[in-house]
mmCIF file of all heavy atoms in Angstrom:
data_model
loop_
_atom_site.group_PDB
_atom_site.id
_atom_site.type_symbol
_atom_site.label_atom_id
_atom_site.label_comp_id
_atom_site.label_asym_id
_atom_site.label_seq_id
_atom_site.Cartn_x
_atom_site.Cartn_y
_atom_site.Cartn_z
ATOM 1 N N MET A 12 7.781 -40.259 8.508
ATOM 2 C CA MET A 12 7.999 -39.210 7.411
ATOM 3 C C MET A 12 7.771 -37.870 7.957
ATOM 4 O O MET A 12 8.505 -36.919 7.831
ATOM 5 C CB MET A 12 7.355 -39.396 6.148
ATOM 6 C CG MET A 12 7.629 -38.448 5.017
ATOM 7 S SD MET A 12 6.464 -38.591 3.702
ATOM 8 C CE MET A 12 4.899 -37.974 4.452
ATOM 9 N N LEU A 13 6.653 -37.662 8.652
ATOM 10 C CA LEU A 13 6.267 -36.437 9.263
ATOM 11 C C LEU A 13 7.243 -35.939 10.327
ATOM 12 O O LEU A 13 7.370 -34.735 10.525
ATOM 13 C CB LEU A 13 4.829 -36.472 9.817
ATOM 14 C CG LEU A 13 3.736 -36.602 8.771
ATOM 15 C CD1 LEU A 13 2.395 -36.793 9.586
ATOM 16 C CD2 LEU A 13 3.577 -35.377 7.902
ATOM 17 N N MET A 14 7.964 -36.837 10.954
ATOM 18 C CA MET A 14 8.854 -36.423 12.140
ATOM 19 C C MET A 14 10.077 -35.624 11.637
ATOM 20 O O MET A 14 10.536 -34.758 12.294
ATOM 21 C CB MET A 14 9.319 -37.724 12.842
ATOM 22 C CG MET A 14 8.279 -38.404 13.544
ATOM 23 S SD MET A 14 8.993 -39.844 14.349
ATOM 24 C CE MET A 14 7.536 -41.001 14.354
ATOM 25 N N LEU A 15 10.571 -35.914 10.338
ATOM 26 C CA LEU A 15 11.748 -35.291 9.849
ATOM 27 C C LEU A 15 11.666 -33.800 9.806
ATOM 28 O O LEU A 15 12.541 -33.114 10.331
ATOM 29 C CB LEU A 15 12.118 -35.876 8.549
ATOM 30 C CG LEU A 15 13.413 -35.308 7.835
ATOM 31 C CD1 LEU A 15 14.591 -35.585 8.667
ATOM 32 C CD2 LEU A 15 13.579 -35.847 6.463
ATOM 33 N N PRO A 16 10.592 -33.268 9.145
ATOM 34 C CA PRO A 16 10.424 -31.786 8.979
ATOM 35 C C PRO A 16 10.263 -31.182 10.436
ATOM 36 O O PRO A 16 10.635 -30.097 10.602
ATOM 37 C CB PRO A 16 9.259 -31.438 8.106
ATOM 38 C CG PRO A 16 8.532 -32.764 8.094
ATOM 39 C CD PRO A 16 9.552 -33.897 8.224
ATOM 40 N N ILE A 17 9.620 -31.841 11.329
ATOM 41 C CA ILE A 17 9.372 -31.336 12.646
ATOM 42 C C ILE A 17 10.614 -31.156 13.368
ATOM 43 O O ILE A 17 10.954 -30.205 14.058
ATOM 44 C CB ILE A 17 8.376 -32.259 13.383
ATOM 45 C CG1 ILE A 17 6.922 -32.328 12.763
ATOM 46 C CG2 ILE A 17 8.274 -31.888 14.855
ATOM 47 C CD1 ILE A 17 6.205 -30.976 12.801
ATOM 48 N N VAL A 18 11.547 -32.187 13.265
ATOM 49 C CA VAL A 18 12.814 -32.099 13.946
ATOM 50 C C VAL A 18 13.703 -31.013 13.314
ATOM 51 O O VAL A 18 14.296 -30.203 14.099
ATOM 52 C CB VAL A 18 13.612 -33.561 13.772
ATOM 53 C CG1 VAL A 18 15.069 -33.348 14.266
ATOM 54 C CG2 VAL A 18 12.920 -34.607 14.635
ATOM 55 N N ILE A 19 13.716 -30.854 11.987
ATOM 56 C CA ILE A 19 14.446 -29.822 11.388
ATOM 57 C C ILE A 19 13.975 -28.501 11.690
ATOM 58 O O ILE A 19 14.799 -27.586 12.121
ATOM 59 C CB ILE A 19 14.375 -30.016 9.807
ATOM 60 C CG1 ILE A 19 15.135 -31.271 9.487
ATOM 61 C CG2 ILE A 19 14.960 -28.745 9.106
ATOM 62 C CD1 ILE A 19 14.985 -31.574 7.943
ATOM 63 N N MET A 20 12.667 -28.236 11.787
ATOM 64 C CA MET A 20 12.190 -26.976 12.185
ATOM 65 C C MET A 20 12.373 -26.542 13.700
ATOM 66 O O MET A 20 12.696 -25.414 13.980
ATOM 67 C CB MET A 20 10.673 -26.846 11.933
ATOM 68 C CG MET A 20 10.194 -26.855 10.424
ATOM 69 S SD MET A 20 11.263 -25.909 9.291
ATOM 70 C CE MET A 20 11.090 -24.266 10.029
ATOM 71 N N SER A 21 12.431 -27.551 14.481
ATOM 72 C CA SER A 21 12.759 -27.286 15.951
ATOM 73 C C SER A 21 14.178 -26.766 16.051
ATOM 74 O O SER A 21 14.382 -25.905 16.932
ATOM 75 C CB SER A 21 12.482 -28.517 16.766
ATOM 76 O OG SER A 21 13.420 -29.555 16.472
ATOM 77 N N ILE A 22 15.111 -27.466 15.247
ATOM 78 C CA ILE A 22 16.455 -26.964 15.338
ATOM 79 C C ILE A 22 16.595 -25.562 14.814
ATOM 80 O O ILE A 22 17.254 -24.711 15.355
ATOM 81 C CB ILE A 22 17.278 -27.933 14.530
ATOM 82 C CG1 ILE A 22 17.410 -29.292 15.229
ATOM 83 C CG2 ILE A 22 18.687 -27.421 14.359
ATOM 84 C CD1 ILE A 22 18.055 -30.417 14.307
ATOM 85 N N LEU A 23 15.922 -25.334 13.747
ATOM 86 C CA LEU A 23 16.026 -23.985 13.059
ATOM 87 C C LEU A 23 15.423 -22.878 13.900
ATOM 88 O O LEU A 23 16.054 -21.834 14.112
ATOM 89 C CB LEU A 23 15.338 -23.866 11.734
ATOM 90 C CG LEU A 23 15.989 -24.742 10.580
ATOM 91 C CD1 LEU A 23 15.073 -24.831 9.349
ATOM 92 C CD2 LEU A 23 17.360 -24.301 10.390
ATOM 93 N N ILE A 24 14.292 -23.190 14.558
ATOM 94 C CA ILE A 24 13.626 -22.291 15.463
ATOM 95 C C ILE A 24 14.516 -21.916 16.665
ATOM 96 O O ILE A 24 14.743 -20.761 16.962
ATOM 97 C CB ILE A 24 12.262 -22.604 15.991
ATOM 98 C CG1 ILE A 24 11.286 -22.761 14.709
ATOM 99 C CG2 ILE A 24 11.746 -21.766 16.982
ATOM 100 C CD1 ILE A 24 10.771 -21.447 14.277
ATOM 101 N N TRP A 25 15.165 -22.958 17.257
ATOM 102 C CA TRP A 25 15.947 -22.735 18.490
ATOM 103 C C TRP A 25 17.285 -21.974 18.140
ATOM 104 O O TRP A 25 17.585 -21.056 18.827
ATOM 105 C CB TRP A 25 16.248 -24.045 19.017
ATOM 106 C CG TRP A 25 17.089 -23.943 20.233
ATOM 107 C CD1 TRP A 25 18.400 -24.136 20.447
ATOM 108 C CD2 TRP A 25 16.590 -23.535 21.602
ATOM 109 N NE1 TRP A 25 18.848 -23.968 21.837
ATOM 110 C CE2 TRP A 25 17.784 -23.567 22.509
ATOM 111 C CE3 TRP A 25 15.432 -23.197 22.046
ATOM 112 C CZ2 TRP A 25 17.632 -23.176 23.756
ATOM 113 C CZ3 TRP A 25 15.305 -22.800 23.439
ATOM 114 C CH2 TRP A 25 16.348 -22.698 24.266
ATOM 115 N N PHE A 26 17.965 -22.298 16.964
ATOM 116 C CA PHE A 26 19.285 -21.807 16.659
ATOM 117 C C PHE A 26 19.230 -20.483 15.888
ATOM 118 O O PHE A 26 20.197 -19.663 15.928
ATOM 119 C CB PHE A 26 20.203 -22.795 16.140
ATOM 120 C CG PHE A 26 20.582 -23.809 17.044
ATOM 121 C CD1 PHE A 26 20.114 -25.143 17.042
ATOM 122 C CD2 PHE A 26 21.568 -23.639 18.102
ATOM 123 C CE1 PHE A 26 20.424 -26.153 17.995
ATOM 124 C CE2 PHE A 26 22.027 -24.565 18.966
ATOM 125 C CZ PHE A 26 21.429 -25.842 18.879
ATOM 126 N N TRP A 27 18.153 -20.267 15.116
ATOM 127 C CA TRP A 27 18.128 -19.166 14.147
ATOM 128 C C TRP A 27 17.145 -18.077 14.468
ATOM 129 O O TRP A 27 16.957 -17.121 13.677
ATOM 130 C CB TRP A 27 17.891 -19.737 12.755
ATOM 131 C CG TRP A 27 19.073 -20.258 12.019
ATOM 132 C CD1 TRP A 27 20.240 -20.777 12.793
ATOM 133 C CD2 TRP A 27 19.290 -20.408 10.736
ATOM 134 N NE1 TRP A 27 21.140 -21.169 11.908
ATOM 135 C CE2 TRP A 27 20.550 -20.957 10.584
ATOM 136 C CE3 TRP A 27 18.664 -20.123 9.582
ATOM 137 C CZ2 TRP A 27 21.170 -21.235 9.332
ATOM 138 C CZ3 TRP A 27 19.134 -20.459 8.426
ATOM 139 C CH2 TRP A 27 20.456 -20.934 8.166
ATOM 140 N N THR A 28 16.426 -18.094 15.568
ATOM 141 C CA THR A 28 15.575 -17.086 15.918
ATOM 142 C C THR A 28 15.920 -16.529 17.310
ATOM 143 O O THR A 28 16.423 -17.277 18.223
ATOM 144 C CB THR A 28 14.094 -17.430 16.014
ATOM 145 O OG1 THR A 28 13.867 -18.514 17.035
ATOM 146 C CG2 THR A 28 13.694 -18.084 14.684
ATOM 147 N N PRO A 29 15.825 -15.310 17.560
ATOM 148 C CA PRO A 29 16.051 -14.573 18.816
ATOM 149 C C PRO A 29 14.901 -14.770 19.776
ATOM 150 O O PRO A 29 13.751 -15.091 19.400
ATOM 151 C CB PRO A 29 16.267 -13.146 18.589
ATOM 152 C CG PRO A 29 15.397 -12.953 17.456
ATOM 153 C CD PRO A 29 15.454 -14.156 16.635
ATOM 154 N N GLU A 30 15.257 -14.705 21.046
ATOM 155 C CA GLU A 30 14.070 -14.739 21.995
ATOM 156 C C GLU A 30 13.570 -13.436 22.204
ATOM 157 O O GLU A 30 14.242 -12.375 22.053
ATOM 158 C CB GLU A 30 14.652 -15.254 23.414
ATOM 159 C CG GLU A 30 13.522 -15.573 24.372
ATOM 160 C CD GLU A 30 12.471 -16.545 23.852
ATOM 161 O OE1 GLU A 30 11.618 -16.050 23.163
ATOM 162 O OE2 GLU A 30 12.680 -17.814 24.007
ATOM 163 N N THR A 31 12.111 -13.357 22.418
ATOM 164 C CA THR A 31 11.537 -12.054 22.591
ATOM 165 C C THR A 31 11.992 -11.502 23.840
ATOM 166 O O THR A 31 11.862 -12.067 24.963
ATOM 167 C CB THR A 31 9.980 -12.193 22.594
ATOM 168 O OG1 THR A 31 9.610 -12.887 21.446
ATOM 169 C CG2 THR A 31 9.255 -10.862 22.668
ATOM 170 N N PRO A 32 12.458 -10.194 23.904
ATOM 171 C CA PRO A 32 12.991 -9.669 25.136
ATOM 172 C C PRO A 32 11.815 -9.451 26.211
ATOM 173 O O PRO A 32 10.643 -9.349 25.854
ATOM 174 C CB PRO A 32 13.371 -8.094 24.764
ATOM 175 C CG PRO A 32 13.710 -8.403 23.224
ATOM 176 C CD PRO A 32 12.781 -9.291 22.761
ATOM 177 N N LYS A 33 12.217 -9.570 27.398
ATOM 178 C CA LYS A 33 11.293 -9.384 28.494
ATOM 179 C C LYS A 33 10.724 -7.965 28.552
ATOM 180 O O LYS A 33 11.522 -7.075 28.398
ATOM 181 C CB LYS A 33 11.881 -9.795 29.879
ATOM 182 C CG LYS A 33 12.323 -11.153 29.975
ATOM 183 C CD LYS A 33 11.185 -12.200 30.128
ATOM 184 C CE LYS A 33 11.669 -13.657 30.204
ATOM 185 N NZ LYS A 33 10.409 -14.639 30.182
ATOM 186 N N THR A 34 9.375 -7.804 28.852
ATOM 187 C CA THR A 34 8.879 -6.510 28.884
ATOM 188 C C THR A 34 8.717 -5.956 30.373
ATOM 189 O O THR A 34 8.414 -4.820 30.596
ATOM 190 C CB THR A 34 7.404 -6.495 28.275
ATOM 191 O OG1 THR A 34 6.674 -7.455 29.192
ATOM 192 C CG2 THR A 34 7.440 -6.942 26.841
ATOM 193 N N GLY A 35 9.172 -6.848 31.321
ATOM 194 C CA GLY A 35 9.072 -6.397 32.696
ATOM 195 C C GLY A 35 7.715 -6.792 33.258
ATOM 196 O O GLY A 35 7.633 -6.737 34.461
ATOM 197 N N GLU A 36 6.826 -7.376 32.509
ATOM 198 C CA GLU A 36 5.517 -7.754 33.068
ATOM 199 C C GLU A 36 5.598 -9.203 33.442
ATOM 200 O O GLU A 36 6.106 -10.010 32.630
ATOM 201 C CB GLU A 36 4.357 -7.466 32.075
ATOM 202 C CG GLU A 36 4.323 -6.070 31.676
ATOM 203 C CD GLU A 36 3.307 -5.825 30.563
ATOM 204 O OE1 GLU A 36 2.595 -6.760 30.147
ATOM 205 O OE2 GLU A 36 3.101 -4.650 30.014
ATOM 206 N N THR A 37 4.981 -9.608 34.452
ATOM 207 C CA THR A 37 5.062 -11.007 35.053
ATOM 208 C C THR A 37 3.698 -11.437 35.279
ATOM 209 O O THR A 37 3.272 -11.842 36.434
ATOM 210 C CB THR A 37 5.998 -11.168 36.243
ATOM 211 O OG1 THR A 37 5.561 -10.338 37.289
ATOM 212 C CG2 THR A 37 7.405 -10.756 35.890
ATOM 213 N N ASN A 38 2.835 -11.303 34.330
ATOM 214 C CA ASN A 38 1.407 -11.677 34.577
ATOM 215 C C ASN A 38 1.269 -13.203 34.659
ATOM 216 O O ASN A 38 1.939 -13.997 34.016
ATOM 217 C CB ASN A 38 0.602 -11.139 33.342
ATOM 218 C CG ASN A 38 -0.953 -10.792 33.641
ATOM 219 O OD1 ASN A 38 -1.256 -10.832 34.873
ATOM 220 N ND2 ASN A 38 -1.603 -10.448 32.696
ATOM 221 N N THR A 39 0.294 -13.574 35.532
ATOM 222 C CA THR A 39 -0.018 -14.991 35.685
ATOM 223 C C THR A 39 -0.938 -15.404 34.632
ATOM 224 O O THR A 39 -1.504 -14.605 33.820
ATOM 225 C CB THR A 39 -0.608 -15.302 37.001
ATOM 226 O OG1 THR A 39 -1.948 -14.592 37.108
ATOM 227 C CG2 THR A 39 0.190 -14.747 38.223
ATOM 228 N N ILE A 40 -1.100 -16.754 34.524
ATOM 229 C CA ILE A 40 -2.127 -17.336 33.498
ATOM 230 C C ILE A 40 -3.531 -16.786 33.669
ATOM 231 O O ILE A 40 -4.214 -16.334 32.778
ATOM 232 C CB ILE A 40 -2.089 -18.848 33.516
ATOM 233 C CG1 ILE A 40 -0.749 -19.378 32.941
ATOM 234 C CG2 ILE A 40 -3.233 -19.385 32.659
ATOM 235 C CD1 ILE A 40 -0.584 -20.864 33.057
ATOM 236 N N LEU A 41 -3.937 -16.751 35.003
ATOM 237 C CA LEU A 41 -5.197 -16.180 35.342
ATOM 238 C C LEU A 41 -5.359 -14.799 35.154
ATOM 239 O O LEU A 41 -6.321 -14.214 34.570
ATOM 240 C CB LEU A 41 -5.549 -16.465 36.846
ATOM 241 C CG LEU A 41 -5.795 -17.977 37.142
ATOM 242 C CD1 LEU A 41 -6.051 -18.091 38.740
ATOM 243 C CD2 LEU A 41 -7.022 -18.573 36.360
ATOM 244 N N GLY A 42 -4.128 -14.110 35.365
ATOM 245 C CA GLY A 42 -4.174 -12.668 35.015
ATOM 246 C C GLY A 42 -4.338 -12.403 33.495
ATOM 247 O O GLY A 42 -4.922 -11.321 33.120
ATOM 248 N N SER A 43 -3.635 -13.259 32.692
ATOM 249 C CA SER A 43 -3.701 -13.146 31.288
ATOM 250 C C SER A 43 -5.190 -13.401 30.676
ATOM 251 O O SER A 43 -5.511 -12.765 29.740
ATOM 252 C CB SER A 43 -2.737 -14.158 30.621
ATOM 253 O OG SER A 43 -1.409 -13.935 30.981
ATOM 254 N N LEU A 44 -5.814 -14.274 31.397
ATOM 255 C CA LEU A 44 -7.203 -14.549 31.007
ATOM 256 C C LEU A 44 -8.206 -13.422 31.410
ATOM 257 O O LEU A 44 -9.274 -13.419 30.957
ATOM 258 C CB LEU A 44 -7.667 -15.766 31.687
ATOM 259 C CG LEU A 44 -7.123 -17.117 31.146
ATOM 260 C CD1 LEU A 44 -7.594 -18.265 31.940
ATOM 261 C CD2 LEU A 44 -7.382 -17.298 29.681
ATOM 262 N N GLU A 45 -7.696 -12.388 32.060
ATOM 263 C CA GLU A 45 -8.497 -11.190 32.305
ATOM 264 C C GLU A 45 -9.033 -10.435 31.060
ATOM 265 O O GLU A 45 -9.858 -9.684 31.183
ATOM 266 C CB GLU A 45 -7.897 -10.231 33.297
ATOM 267 C CG GLU A 45 -7.755 -10.810 34.675
ATOM 268 C CD GLU A 45 -7.160 -9.844 35.695
ATOM 269 O OE1 GLU A 45 -6.860 -8.629 35.227
ATOM 270 O OE2 GLU A 45 -7.055 -10.070 36.877
ATOM 271 N N VAL A 46 -8.250 -10.751 29.961
ATOM 272 C CA VAL A 46 -8.711 -10.102 28.742
ATOM 273 C C VAL A 46 -10.110 -10.475 28.329
ATOM 274 O O VAL A 46 -10.670 -9.762 27.485
ATOM 275 C CB VAL A 46 -7.753 -10.564 27.584
ATOM 276 C CG1 VAL A 46 -6.358 -9.947 27.890
ATOM 277 C CG2 VAL A 46 -7.695 -11.910 27.214
ATOM 278 N N LEU A 47 -10.550 -11.595 28.905
ATOM 279 C CA LEU A 47 -12.025 -12.026 28.579
ATOM 280 C C LEU A 47 -13.019 -11.056 29.063
ATOM 281 O O LEU A 47 -14.262 -11.102 28.726
ATOM 282 C CB LEU A 47 -12.224 -13.433 29.061
ATOM 283 C CG LEU A 47 -11.531 -14.594 28.511
ATOM 284 C CD1 LEU A 47 -11.687 -15.836 29.245
ATOM 285 C CD2 LEU A 47 -12.079 -14.742 27.065
ATOM 286 N N LYS A 48 -12.646 -10.119 30.012
ATOM 287 C CA LYS A 48 -13.609 -9.167 30.575
ATOM 288 C C LYS A 48 -13.946 -7.928 29.470
ATOM 289 O O LYS A 48 -14.770 -7.218 29.720
ATOM 290 C CB LYS A 48 -13.129 -8.586 31.805
ATOM 291 C CG LYS A 48 -11.980 -7.721 31.724
ATOM 292 C CD LYS A 48 -11.531 -7.269 33.156
ATOM 293 C CE LYS A 48 -10.216 -6.278 33.050
ATOM 294 N NZ LYS A 48 -9.759 -5.915 34.343
ATOM 295 N N TYR A 49 -13.088 -7.936 28.527
ATOM 296 C CA TYR A 49 -13.274 -6.952 27.445
ATOM 297 C C TYR A 49 -14.032 -7.493 26.296
ATOM 298 O O TYR A 49 -13.863 -8.670 25.754
ATOM 299 C CB TYR A 49 -11.920 -6.530 26.813
ATOM 300 C CG TYR A 49 -10.994 -5.860 28.004
ATOM 301 C CD1 TYR A 49 -9.885 -6.632 28.345
ATOM 302 C CD2 TYR A 49 -11.308 -4.595 28.548
ATOM 303 C CE1 TYR A 49 -9.017 -5.979 29.428
ATOM 304 C CE2 TYR A 49 -10.432 -4.135 29.481
ATOM 305 C CZ TYR A 49 -9.349 -4.834 29.836
ATOM 306 O OH TYR A 49 -8.573 -4.257 30.819
ATOM 307 N N LYS A 50 -15.052 -6.637 25.822
ATOM 308 C CA LYS A 50 -16.008 -7.155 24.754
ATOM 309 C C LYS A 50 -15.257 -7.547 23.381
ATOM 310 O O LYS A 50 -15.739 -8.328 22.776
ATOM 311 C CB LYS A 50 -17.099 -6.247 24.554
ATOM 312 C CG LYS A 50 -16.600 -4.830 23.997
ATOM 313 C CD LYS A 50 -17.715 -3.838 23.837
ATOM 314 C CE LYS A 50 -17.241 -2.479 23.239
ATOM 315 N NZ LYS A 50 -18.306 -1.508 23.269
ATOM 316 N N ASN A 51 -14.141 -6.726 23.353
ATOM 317 C CA ASN A 51 -13.404 -7.095 22.059
ATOM 318 C C ASN A 51 -12.846 -8.466 21.921
ATOM 319 O O ASN A 51 -12.842 -9.037 20.808
ATOM 320 C CB ASN A 51 -12.174 -6.096 21.858
ATOM 321 C CG ASN A 51 -12.600 -4.686 21.480
ATOM 322 O OD1 ASN A 51 -13.541 -4.503 20.685
ATOM 323 N ND2 ASN A 51 -11.882 -3.684 21.992
ATOM 324 N N SER A 52 -12.503 -9.062 22.985
ATOM 325 C CA SER A 52 -12.212 -10.473 23.051
ATOM 326 C C SER A 52 -13.259 -11.307 22.523
ATOM 327 O O SER A 52 -13.054 -12.241 21.671
ATOM 328 C CB SER A 52 -11.792 -10.899 24.372
ATOM 329 O OG SER A 52 -10.699 -10.189 24.857
ATOM 330 N N TRP A 53 -14.380 -11.095 22.959
ATOM 331 C CA TRP A 53 -15.447 -11.933 22.584
ATOM 332 C C TRP A 53 -15.976 -11.717 21.081
ATOM 333 O O TRP A 53 -16.385 -12.709 20.412
ATOM 334 C CB TRP A 53 -16.742 -11.661 23.454
ATOM 335 C CG TRP A 53 -16.441 -12.194 24.904
ATOM 336 C CD1 TRP A 53 -15.932 -11.340 25.878
ATOM 337 C CD2 TRP A 53 -16.565 -13.514 25.504
ATOM 338 N NE1 TRP A 53 -15.799 -12.194 27.030
ATOM 339 C CE2 TRP A 53 -16.123 -13.466 26.802
ATOM 340 C CE3 TRP A 53 -16.893 -14.661 24.833
ATOM 341 C CZ2 TRP A 53 -16.075 -14.540 27.577
ATOM 342 C CZ3 TRP A 53 -16.875 -15.886 25.610
ATOM 343 C CH2 TRP A 53 -16.535 -15.878 26.997
ATOM 344 N N VAL A 54 -15.953 -10.418 20.686
ATOM 345 C CA VAL A 54 -16.327 -10.146 19.307
ATOM 346 C C VAL A 54 -15.343 -10.627 18.351
ATOM 347 O O VAL A 54 -15.733 -11.220 17.401
ATOM 348 C CB VAL A 54 -16.362 -8.531 19.120
ATOM 349 C CG1 VAL A 54 -16.582 -8.204 17.775
ATOM 350 C CG2 VAL A 54 -17.501 -7.950 19.981
ATOM 351 N N LEU A 55 -14.057 -10.515 18.576
ATOM 352 C CA LEU A 55 -13.087 -11.104 17.647
ATOM 353 C C LEU A 55 -13.143 -12.618 17.694
ATOM 354 O O LEU A 55 -12.936 -13.266 16.695
ATOM 355 C CB LEU A 55 -11.624 -10.699 18.124
ATOM 356 C CG LEU A 55 -11.353 -9.229 17.986
ATOM 357 C CD1 LEU A 55 -9.895 -9.019 18.552
ATOM 358 C CD2 LEU A 55 -11.353 -8.766 16.584
ATOM 359 N N SER A 56 -13.539 -13.228 18.885
ATOM 360 C CA SER A 56 -13.646 -14.653 18.763
ATOM 361 C C SER A 56 -14.809 -15.130 17.995
ATOM 362 O O SER A 56 -14.790 -16.092 17.263
ATOM 363 C CB SER A 56 -13.895 -15.144 20.360
ATOM 364 O OG SER A 56 -12.673 -14.924 21.140
#
């Protein structure tokens, strides 16, 4: 029973939402994790 709404929502998300435009930044996963060097990341966590 849980599969039905999951399938429906995947179809709606794919066909009824736009993709976020590229910002020109191509940061790697390790690069993205550099936010951990900021104290705000730890405080918010």
Side-chain angles (χ1 to χ4, degrees):
M12 178 190 72
L13 289 175
M14 296 179 205
L15 180 60
I17 294 296
V18 171
I19 292 174
M20 292 314 305
S21 66
I22 293 172
L23 292 177
I24 292 289
W25 181 257
F26 289 103
W27 277 26
T28 66
E30 191 55 272
T31 305
K33 297 290 184 181
T34 61
E36 301 176 3
T37 57
N38 212 4
T39 64
I40 293 178
L41 289 178
S43 297
L44 288 177
E45 287 185 359
V46 296
L47 288 172
K48 68 183 180 182
Y49 300 109
K50 65 183 179 185
N51 283 325
S52 299
W53 294 96
V54 173
L55 293 179
S56 294

